[in-house]
Amino acid sequence: MATTPDTDKAGSGKPLDDEAARLAATAQADMPLPPEPDDIDDEDDDDEDLVAYTASEAAGAFATLWRFTWPHLRNYKTWLSFVAIGLFIETLFNVIMPLSLKFLIDDALGEEDFQALYTILGVLAAAGIITSIVAVWYERWDARLAAAVISDVRSRLFEHVQNLPAAFFGRTKRGEILSRFSVDMAGYESSVKHFANSAMLPFLELIAGIGLMIWLNWQLAAVALLIFPITLIGPRILTPKAVQANYEQKVNESAILGVVQENVAAQMVVKAFGLQRKAFGWFSFRNNAARRSMADATFLSTMVERTVTVSVLLLHLIVLAIGAYLATIGKISIGTFVTFESAFWEITYNIAHLMHFIPVAIQAAAAMRHMEE
Amino acid sequence: MATTPDTDKAGSGKPLDDEAARLAATAQADMPLPPEPDDIDDEDDDDEDLVAYTASEAAGAFATLWRFTWPHLRNYKTWLSFVAIGLFIETLFNVIMPLSLKFLIDDALGEEDFQALYTILGVLAAAGIITSIVAVWYERWDARLAAAVISDVRSRLFEHVQNLPAAFFGRTKRGEILSRFSVDMAGYESSVKHFANSAMLPFLELIAGIGLMIWLNWQLAAVALLIFPITLIGPRILTPKAVQANYEQKVNESAILGVVQENVAAQMVVKAFGLQRKAFGWFSFRNNAARRSMADATFLSTMVERTVTVSVLLLHLIVLAIGAYLATIGKISIGTFVTFESAFWEITYNIAHLMHFIPVAIQAAAAMRHMEE
């Protein structure tokens, strides 16, 4: 309880190369009761949201993932190309969709041109249906590819264990070896399984969205791209404060558990001497401290996200105002204005998606380093 | 390993009223090694995504949450009203934003009316800045309110424990009492802390979005509202199959762990008799079975979400086509068409948000029932 939460450790991207530290962490996680509040999933998620990764930590994790996976991936080039084609088609559709809005507005709706209307809608419907079919098709190959890579990695790990000298098995705890096959494989698995969908697709769509914005109006795109410093640097200011506040909350909550534990253990004494009032007083003192620290921790945690939302909103209003002005003076068409809006939302959304994959990649990288030891 | 994953149990909304079962589950979770693959967070998340809740389970969880929380909430009516005002203003802004797009396009951009342009942009900027300030302000009160309610609940729980007969403490394990203050409180905490932001706000915005769509064009809104059967009923068809496939994957993975464990334990024998080839054969047999079941499980899990995405996309294309047609024949303005599009996205997004809160509420409801025992 006196250490930082587990997720922070795992999430900081530093592999626990010190075996002793890892075992201690495992022992702590297995401690029967009182269970730590961070044993609860939702709590873990909270903490995870709060970890600010540096760009180099993220890049390092992706590099590790790539270096570890590529030798296996290489054996399935056909499947890999199917997945790549699928991702390409899906990204393409995500450009066609907002673009068709532009042509709809400028060429069909404004001009009351039914020929253009039917053509655009026809193209869009065909693209939508083809993309949907392709999506199901490439997900099938992606699932097969992920399963193949994972079982190959497991196989290599088993072979490696077979070839270890007999002395190794005397020295190393059995659970240590098994943990590679269970905990570490599971961490690696989740990153490989979701890589195409949760990392590659948002990344490609992000690039395509930026390209679309620049093509529509590069001056406006230059303003819109301020979203990167806002979403990437912004949270780093508040995050350390929020992490500190969350830590203090945990310390307070563990103090409460201590009071309750003592109270329950000494219940006979409390009852015999009528100490209920006194016991409640001690409890309340701790409880009020926990209440204050919790209010701070909750507020600061929310603010980490809120500051991003608010800055993105204000940037959006600036982009909207400039776009509307350009459209009113006739510098850009109404369709361009609307499509730019939708491309802006698209990139906001894809940045958020990519950010969510970073902790998965970092955990997987730690698992891979542990497997390679 | 032979039981269904923990999250499914906790997530099914059935409180573990059988104490023995709960203790068994706890014991299983605390089992040191080999750790179950579901001990990993990301794995848990996967499973959670797959649980299909019935509407009545969700409603029951919210009712329990309300019944349990209201007596405490009632003591903070001023704070509660601040939060309510904040939520109302934020929802209002989410209607003003798409509406201003309509007026911008119809009155300013189309007519080249700079007076209208400046007025609309001025209103939007003012609304944006006010909403941002209000958002920070009400988050502060919401954090205080949540902390107050949680410490009141903890206080009531402590008082209740104090008043239990002495015989109770002899009968009940100490850890059993402490678990109410740790695990259960944490489960309850996460639902209270995020209620305003993750449940009330998406709910209000959903209602506002539906209202906006109906106001813009009720015929088109009627088509767009088909999104509810699609997102709510759709996943229920594939989910049982995906859950079954994931279960089979876990069984296969646990069989592999068994093989590895045996192999490590009998390593001296393997080495002495040169059984490496044979051992690798046994391992490969299991590993290939796991590979096949994993490909199926991954694919089916992805399909649960994909079928929703694809159906929403196709519905969106239908709405877009009808809207574009209505705009071309002049039945609705271009601004209405664009605003309808953005309101449609808004409700898709808010449905997804609300769906994510349901497992949190159901876990909290289970924790509350356990605390009340």
Side-chain angles (χ1 to χ4, degrees):
Chain A
M1 214 65 154
T3 62
T4 48
D6 267 11
T7 42
D8 288 0
K9 262 190 241 154
S12 69
K14 290 164 204 116
L16 297 171
D17 34 27
D18 182 356
E19 217 42 73
R22 193 179 169 93
L23 280 173
T26 313
Q28 186 192 20
D30 290 335
M31 184 178 69
L33 277 163
E36 303 196 36
D38 7 328
D39 281 352
I40 300 296
D41 269 349
D42 308 43
E43 282 291 311
D44 273 349
D45 289 347
D46 284 357
D47 293 340
E48 239 170 74
D49 287 344
L50 282 179
V51 184
Y53 304 101
T54 62
S56 69
E57 275 170 350
F62 281 105
T64 307
L65 193 56
W66 174 254
R67 189 171 45 72
F68 193 85
T69 310
W70 177 239
H72 301 283
L73 218 48
R74 206 158 46 179
N75 304 325
Y76 305 96
K77 277 194 180 139
T78 322
W79 297 6
L80 194 62
S81 62
F82 288 167
V83 175
I85 292 167
L87 288 171
F88 176 75
I89 290 177
E90 198 164 4
T91 307
L92 194 67
F93 180 75
N94 272 286
V95 176
I96 291 177
M97 185 93 182
L99 259 189
S100 66
L101 206 61
K102 171 180 159 57
F103 292 124
L104 266 180
I105 292 172
D106 289 344
D107 301 338
L109 277 60
E111 313 291 324
E112 292 183 28
D113 179 345
F114 285 91
Q115 192 52 48
L117 176 74
Y118 297 141
T119 310
I120 297 166
L121 289 180
V123 169
L124 202 52
I129 291 165
I130 291 170
T131 306
S132 301
I133 295 168
V134 166
V136 173
W137 171 78
Y138 94 80
E139 293 281 17
R140 189 84 194 102
W141 288 109
D142 186 40
R144 277 190 200 149
L145 184 62
V149 166
I150 287 157
S151 66
D152 283 0
V153 167
R154 188 155 39 208
S155 197
R156 196 185 62 170
L157 192 62
F158 186 79
E159 253 181 320
H160 177 68
V161 168
Q162 292 300 299
N163 295 329
L164 287 170
F168 177 85
F169 294 91
R171 223 172 41 228
T172 313
K173 280 203 182 133
R174 213 171 285 171
E176 254 313 290
I177 300 168
L178 283 176
S179 79
R180 261 78 169 186
F181 285 90
S182 50
V183 185
D184 295 335
M185 276 308 292
Y188 177 64
E189 191 183 305
S190 67
S191 73
V192 170
K193 255 164 51 172
H194 299 128
F195 191 78
N197 250 309
S198 308
M200 274 319 282
L201 191 60
F203 179 73
L204 291 174
E205 290 187 358
L206 185 61
I207 301 297
I210 294 171
L212 180 61
M213 287 202 309
I214 292 172
W215 181 76
L216 287 170
N217 186 284
W218 70 264
Q219 294 95 332
L220 202 50
V223 180
L225 290 180
L226 285 175
I227 195 168
F228 283 99
I230 285 176
T231 46
L232 301 182
I233 299 169
R236 301 186 65 82
I237 299 161
L238 270 175
T239 302
K241 280 188 189 174
V243 168
Q244 179 61 25
N246 273 284
Y247 173 69
E248 273 161 29
Q249 185 197 341
K250 294 222 156 117
V251 170
N252 274 309
E253 281 174 352
S254 98
I256 291 180
L257 274 190
V259 171
V260 174
Q261 187 160 26
E262 268 176 36
N263 179 274
V264 170
Q267 194 52 230
M268 294 303 164
V269 183
V270 172
K271 287 244 189 306
F273 293 92
L275 296 175
Q276 281 90 345
R277 276 296 99 205
K278 211 154 205 159
F280 193 69
W282 293 327
F283 173 80
S284 293
F285 175 75
R286 287 292 183 189
N287 198 21
N288 283 330
R291 170 177 159 170
R292 278 189 301 271
S293 69
M294 191 188 162
D296 288 345
T298 308
F299 179 66
L300 283 169
S301 306
T302 321
M303 278 307 110
V304 172
E305 227 174 289
R306 267 288 176 184
T307 45
V308 176
T309 326
V310 165
S311 340
V312 170
L313 170 68
L314 297 178
L315 177 63
H316 184 200
L317 290 181
I318 292 170
V319 171
L320 185 85
I322 301 176
Y325 178 77
L326 291 176
T328 309
I329 62 169
K331 185 102 200 321
I332 59 174
S333 70
I334 296 181
T336 301
F337 170 69
V338 171
T339 304
F340 198 93
E341 274 291 291
S342 103
F344 184 80
W345 277 129
E346 191 81 23
I347 70 163
T348 314
Y349 177 84
N350 282 315
I351 291 174
H353 258 237
L354 268 179
M355 301 284 274
H356 276 130
F357 192 75
I358 292 175
V360 178
I362 286 180
Q363 277 184 16
M368 282 176 270
R369 290 193 193 108
H370 188 230
M371 278 197 267
E372 280 181 334
E373 271 167 22
Chain B
M1 216 64 156
T3 61
T4 50
D6 267 12
T7 41
D8 286 1
K9 263 190 235 153
S12 69
K14 287 166 207 118
L16 297 171
D17 32 27
D18 182 357
E19 217 44 73
R22 194 180 168 88
L23 280 173
T26 312
Q28 185 194 19
D30 290 335
M31 185 178 72
L33 275 164
E36 303 197 37
D38 6 327
D39 281 353
I40 299 296
D41 269 349
D42 306 64
E43 281 293 310
D44 274 349
D45 289 346
D46 283 356
D47 292 339
E48 240 170 74
D49 287 345
L50 281 179
V51 183
Y53 303 102
T54 63
S56 68
E57 276 170 348
F62 281 105
T64 307
L65 192 57
W66 174 254
R67 188 172 46 72
F68 192 87
T69 309
W70 177 239
H72 301 281
L73 218 49
R74 203 157 51 181
N75 302 326
Y76 304 95
K77 278 194 181 142
T78 321
W79 298 5
L80 193 61
S81 62
F82 289 165
V83 175
I85 291 168
L87 287 172
F88 176 75
I89 290 177
E90 199 165 3
T91 306
L92 195 66
F93 180 74
N94 272 286
V95 176
I96 291 177
M97 185 93 183
L99 257 188
S100 67
L101 206 61
K102 171 179 158 60
F103 292 124
L104 266 180
I105 292 172
D106 289 344
D107 301 338
L109 277 60
E111 312 292 324
E112 291 183 29
D113 180 344
F114 284 92
Q115 192 53 47
L117 176 73
Y118 298 140
T119 310
I120 296 167
L121 289 180
V123 168
L124 201 52
I129 291 165
I130 292 170
T131 305
S132 300
I133 295 168
V134 166
V136 175
W137 171 78
Y138 94 80
E139 293 280 17
R140 188 86 195 98
W141 289 109
D142 186 41
R144 279 191 197 148
L145 184 62
V149 165
I150 287 157
S151 67
D152 284 1
V153 167
R154 188 154 41 206
S155 199
R156 196 185 63 170
L157 192 61
F158 187 77
E159 254 182 318
H160 177 69
V161 168
Q162 292 300 299
N163 296 327
L164 286 171
F168 177 84
F169 292 91
R171 224 173 39 230
T172 313
K173 281 205 180 129
R174 216 171 283 172
E176 254 314 289
I177 300 169
L178 284 176
S179 80
R180 261 78 170 187
F181 284 91
S182 50
V183 185
D184 294 336
M185 277 307 293
Y188 177 63
E189 192 183 304
S190 67
S191 73
V192 170
K193 256 166 46 175
H194 299 128
F195 191 77
N197 249 309
S198 308
M200 273 318 282
L201 192 60
F203 180 71
L204 290 174
E205 290 187 0
L206 184 61
I207 301 295
I210 294 172
L212 180 62
M213 287 202 308
I214 293 173
W215 181 77
L216 287 171
N217 185 286
W218 69 264
Q219 294 96 329
L220 201 50
V223 180
L225 290 180
L226 285 175
I227 195 170
F228 283 99
I230 284 175
T231 47
L232 302 182
I233 299 170
R236 301 186 66 81
I237 299 161
L238 270 176
T239 302
K241 278 189 190 171
V243 169
Q244 179 62 25
N246 272 283
Y247 173 70
E248 273 161 29
Q249 186 197 341
K250 293 218 157 119
V251 170
N252 273 311
E253 281 176 351
S254 98
I256 289 180
L257 274 190
V259 171
V260 173
Q261 187 159 29
E262 267 175 36
N263 179 273
V264 170
Q267 194 53 231
M268 296 302 164
V269 182
V270 171
K271 287 242 188 303
F273 293 93
L275 297 174
Q276 281 92 341
R277 278 293 100 206
K278 213 156 205 157
F280 193 71
W282 292 328
F283 173 81
S284 293
F285 175 75
R286 287 293 183 191
N287 198 23
N288 283 331
R291 171 179 160 169
R292 276 189 301 271
S293 69
M294 193 188 161
D296 287 345
T298 308
F299 179 65
L300 283 168
S301 305
T302 320
M303 278 306 111
V304 172
E305 229 175 287
R306 267 289 175 182
T307 46
V308 176
T309 327
V310 165
S311 341
V312 169
L313 169 68
L314 296 178
L315 177 63
H316 184 201
L317 290 180
I318 292 170
V319 170
L320 185 86
I322 301 176
Y325 179 78
L326 291 176
T328 309
I329 62 168
K331 185 101 202 318
I332 59 174
S333 69
I334 295 180
T336 302
F337 169 69
V338 171
T339 305
F340 198 94
E341 274 290 292
S342 102
F344 184 80
W345 276 129
E346 190 81 24
I347 69 164
T348 314
Y349 178 83
N350 283 313
I351 291 174
H353 258 238
L354 268 179
M355 300 285 275
H356 276 130
F357 192 75
I358 293 175
V360 178
I362 286 180
Q363 276 185 15
M368 283 177 268
R369 290 194 194 108
H370 188 230
M371 279 196 265
E372 279 181 335
E373 270 166 23

